Amino acid sequence: MITYRTLLSEGKEVLQKAKIVDFEIDAWLLMEFVFQIDRARFFLEQNETVEEEKAETYRRLLAERAKHIPVQQITHEAWFFGLPFYVNENVLIPRQDTEVLIEEVLSAVKKYSIQTPKILDMCTGSGCILLSLLANIEGAEGLGADLSEKALEVAQKNGSLLNLKAEWCLSNLFSHINGKYDIIVSNPPYIESAVIETLMEEVREHEPRMALDGKEDGLYFYREITKQAGVYLNAGGILAFEIGYNQGEAVSQMLKEEQYEEIKVVKDLAGLDRVVIGRKKQEDSHV
């Protein structure tokens, strides 16, 4: 028999030995998940004994985390913009930094009074960007496109779990996209190929390389999407990207070359460039 407190200490020790950076946080997150316990209840009951079966489940999940499998892939849950998303090894884990992209798009919708927008999310992955926008824009419609069939299965599942209606499309960038949109948003693969081997093991070994690799200079998908997006954007429509910390200038220049207006680079909470957003030219009133 073992108490909650002792079991949590055991968990921290296992993860610390495995060189897990956030070993204390992760030991707690797995305990919270297995026992459905919050911190207040833990402090009240920390010296009570736990069910042996659940203790074994906790130890099994600790062993998975000790292999540097991300917590979110173990629990199959990641929170993003106040919503719970199902995740697995076929999609990138939603990150808090990406919430800046949602905030900027919502701000642009309000600023330009875009009513009931049609949204295209290119490289949708788990669908977290598109679904978060649909949850926060009344009357919006959305299509999520991805080259990975398995990623689209996750996105579709998230749409169902959140009871949000979206369409999903298997497409190599715009190859199977039709129609016009008011907003095109994307968090494409943007890490330079050579840099991927230097990433944390959790990312390098357990997240889909296809969703990380932005080819030689990390800018391939920005170039391709920016060149083609204008055909699918309504006049006055928004193009918004998540970017890497050192890509603001290059991606802004791409939008300038394609005649986008009101282009801005937005920083995340760490003060790093995170979003580039621009507006397609309005058609001249006499045209």
Side-chain angles (χ1 to χ4, degrees):
M1 303 295 277
I2 191 168
T3 65
Y4 284 106
R5 184 179 176 180
T6 307
L7 188 61
L8 182 60
S9 295
E10 180 186 315
K12 290 177 184 177
E13 191 178 331
V14 166
L15 297 186
Q16 187 176 21
K17 278 183 180 171
K19 296 184 168 56
I20 301 299
V21 176
D22 296 320
F23 65 92
E24 291 181 311
I25 294 169
D26 290 357
W28 167 254
L29 288 173
L30 291 174
M31 173 157 280
E32 190 177 45
F33 175 73
V34 172
F35 294 96
Q36 296 296 293
I37 189 171
D38 60 22
R39 288 195 181 274
R41 195 178 126 214
F42 173 81
F43 285 117
L44 286 172
E45 301 178 7
Q46 60 183 310
N47 293 315
E48 293 186 16
T49 56
V50 303
E51 295 174 43
E52 190 57 41
E53 191 178 334
K54 285 196 171 181
E56 285 311 309
T57 300
Y58 180 65
R59 290 182 177 117
R60 179 172 55 77
L61 299 190
L62 284 171
E64 288 187 44
R65 182 67 188 104
K67 295 174 191 168
H68 291 259
I69 298 170
V71 169
Q72 295 91 336
Q73 285 183 10
I74 295 169
T75 63
H76 294 298
E77 186 176 76
W79 283 82
F80 179 79
F81 216 74
L83 297 170
F85 286 89
Y86 172 85
V87 293
N88 62 20
E89 70 281 359
N90 297 311
V91 295
L92 282 186
I93 295 163
R95 287 160 168 81
Q96 191 177 4
D97 291 337
T98 306
E99 294 185 358
V100 179
L101 181 60
I102 306 297
E103 288 163 359
E104 286 305 312
V105 172
L106 293 177
S107 176
V109 166
K110 190 174 179 183
K111 179 180 178 181
Y112 302 120
S113 300
I114 304 173
Q115 304 296 321
T116 60
K118 285 188 70 177
I119 305 166
L120 171 62
D121 178 16
M122 185 58 69
C123 309
T124 195
S126 67
C128 68
I129 292 171
L130 178 60
L131 293 168
S132 296
L133 290 172
L134 293 179
N136 285 278
I137 306 172
E138 195 174 344
E141 296 176 27
L143 172 69
D146 206 287
L147 185 55
S148 165
E149 208 164 335
K150 289 183 176 178
L152 288 172
E153 286 171 10
V154 173
Q156 194 164 16
K157 180 169 184 167
N158 279 319
S160 298
L161 290 171
L162 294 167
N163 200 25
L164 290 166
K165 190 181 175 188
E167 293 182 13
W168 310 102
C169 174
L170 187 66
S171 183
N172 185 355
L173 296 182
F174 292 95
S175 64
H176 287 80
I177 304 300
N178 299 301
K180 292 267 191 176
Y181 295 85
D182 303 296
I183 298 162
I184 296 179
V185 64
S186 184
N187 178 16
Y190 61 70
I191 298 170
E192 296 165 35
S193 301
V195 172
I196 289 176
E197 293 308 317
T198 70
L199 299 175
M200 284 175 65
E201 188 178 337
E202 280 83 346
V203 178
R204 185 182 73 239
E205 299 297 332
H206 298 288
E207 295 201 66
R209 187 163 293 229
M210 178 179 167
L212 297 168
D213 194 340
K215 306 212 174 178
E216 190 176 356
D217 63 356
L219 297 168
Y220 172 82
F221 292 97
Y222 298 113
R223 275 192 291 270
E224 292 302 312
I225 293 170
T226 306
K227 272 192 290 191
Q228 298 176 58
V231 175
Y232 301 91
L233 262 181
N234 286 320
I238 302 301
L239 177 60
F241 289 115
E242 174 169 339
I243 58 166
Y245 73 95
N246 60 350
Q247 295 173 325
E249 195 177 329
V251 177
S252 297
Q253 187 57 37
M254 291 175 200
L255 268 68
K256 280 177 194 162
E257 287 169 7
E258 294 295 328
Q259 307 300 308
Y260 284 83
E261 301 177 328
E262 300 180 59
I263 299 161
K264 64 174 180 172
V265 181
V266 185
K267 295 186 185 298
D268 59 22
L269 292 173
L272 302 172
D273 288 352
R274 182 59 58 189
V275 167
V276 169
I277 187 166
R279 192 180 189 207
K280 186 181 173 183
K281 274 189 174 180
Q282 297 255 42
E283 287 168 351
D284 293 336
S285 57
H286 64 271
V287 173

